[in-house]
Amino acid sequence: MATVILLVVGFALVPASAQWSGHMSGQLHPVTRGRLVTLMGVEEAVLAMTNDLRRRHGLPVFLKDESCQNAARGHSADMFTRNYFSHTDPEGRAVKERLPDNHAIRLWGENLWTGRGYDPSKVQHLARMIMVGWMNSPGHRKNLLAPGYTHLGVGVISRNQEVKATQVFIGVAAADVRTFK
């Protein structure tokens, strides 16, 4: 009995944002089953694939931006928590309201993706599926290839085998091109 209690207490102390490991063989780890998990490896792969796409089209790569990433992760998690899928939250707030006030930000945009039945431990496969979905959508593709955007944040959140991904794009004035925090 004491062993069971220790296991339960031990599982409760492990952070929900634990990275999925590649050696889970598709099985959900008991610590993360039912919890929201940030898929940091998928986020990095999506960022790399996005920048590879931009290079192939002769566009400058995006700078990774912490405020955009926080907005993207927060929106993906909020969509899970409050059970919706939209560019606006239930209060009507859009991407601009999820970003910090900054006079240098001239443009903003967002891509959303959701899917079920994906193994979160298959990082490259999941990142490719997200990118294929966006590239097959004219509006999402336009955001990925927009020359005016300079910075990007990616937020990919999973619960079990359901995934929500958000990309937040901003464009800043040329003199202000730097990573914001």
Side-chain angles (χ1 to χ4, degrees), residues 1-179:
M1 182 69 163
T3 303
V4 172
I5 292 171
L6 283 174
L7 286 173
V8 170
V9 170
F11 285 144
L13 297 176
V14 176
S17 64
Q19 184 71 34
W20 289 90
S21 69
H23 55 276
M24 289 185 354
S25 304
Q27 299 299 316
L28 295 175
H29 195 278
V31 173
T32 57
R33 188 178 301 123
R35 291 190 174 163
L36 296 181
V37 178
T38 301
L39 303 179
M40 293 174 276
V42 178
E43 292 173 348
E44 289 299 321
V46 166
L47 176 63
M49 289 176 187
T50 299
N51 279 335
D52 286 344
L53 173 73
R54 288 180 66 84
R55 278 187 205 94
R56 287 194 313 269
H57 283 84
L59 295 166
V61 298
F62 289 121
L63 298 173
K64 182 177 178 181
D65 186 81
E66 187 176 331
S67 63
C68 289
Q69 184 167 33
N70 290 341
R73 282 181 178 166
H75 191 58
S76 290
D78 189 51
M79 288 188 292
F80 264 116
T81 302
R82 298 200 289 166
N83 196 31
Y84 69 96
F85 185 73
S86 175
H87 290 286
T88 56
D89 68 16
E91 289 76 36
R93 291 181 297 234
V95 65
K96 184 178 189 287
E97 289 80 30
R98 291 192 294 273
L99 290 166
D101 286 334
N102 186 311
H103 72 279
I105 298 174
R106 304 287 187 238
L107 304 167
W108 50 88
E110 181 176 70
N111 283 348
L112 301 179
W113 181 92
T114 189
R116 294 179 191 267
Y118 291 97
D119 181 348
S121 70
K122 297 193 189 276
V123 171
Q124 291 298 316
H125 175 74
L126 181 52
R128 272 192 305 279
M129 294 297 96
I130 292 168
M131 289 299 295
V132 164
W134 284 332
M135 288 303 290
N136 287 334
S137 163
H140 294 106
R141 181 183 174 92
K142 182 178 177 183
N143 279 342
L144 290 165
L145 299 174
Y149 292 136
T150 56
H151 295 70
L152 174 66
V154 180
V156 183
I157 306 289
S158 175
R159 181 185 301 147
N160 301 331
Q161 291 185 321
E162 182 178 357
V163 180
K164 295 193 186 315
T166 304
Q167 281 183 315
V168 172
F169 306 89
I170 60 171
V172 298
D176 293 316
V177 174
R178 66 184 181 281
T179 303

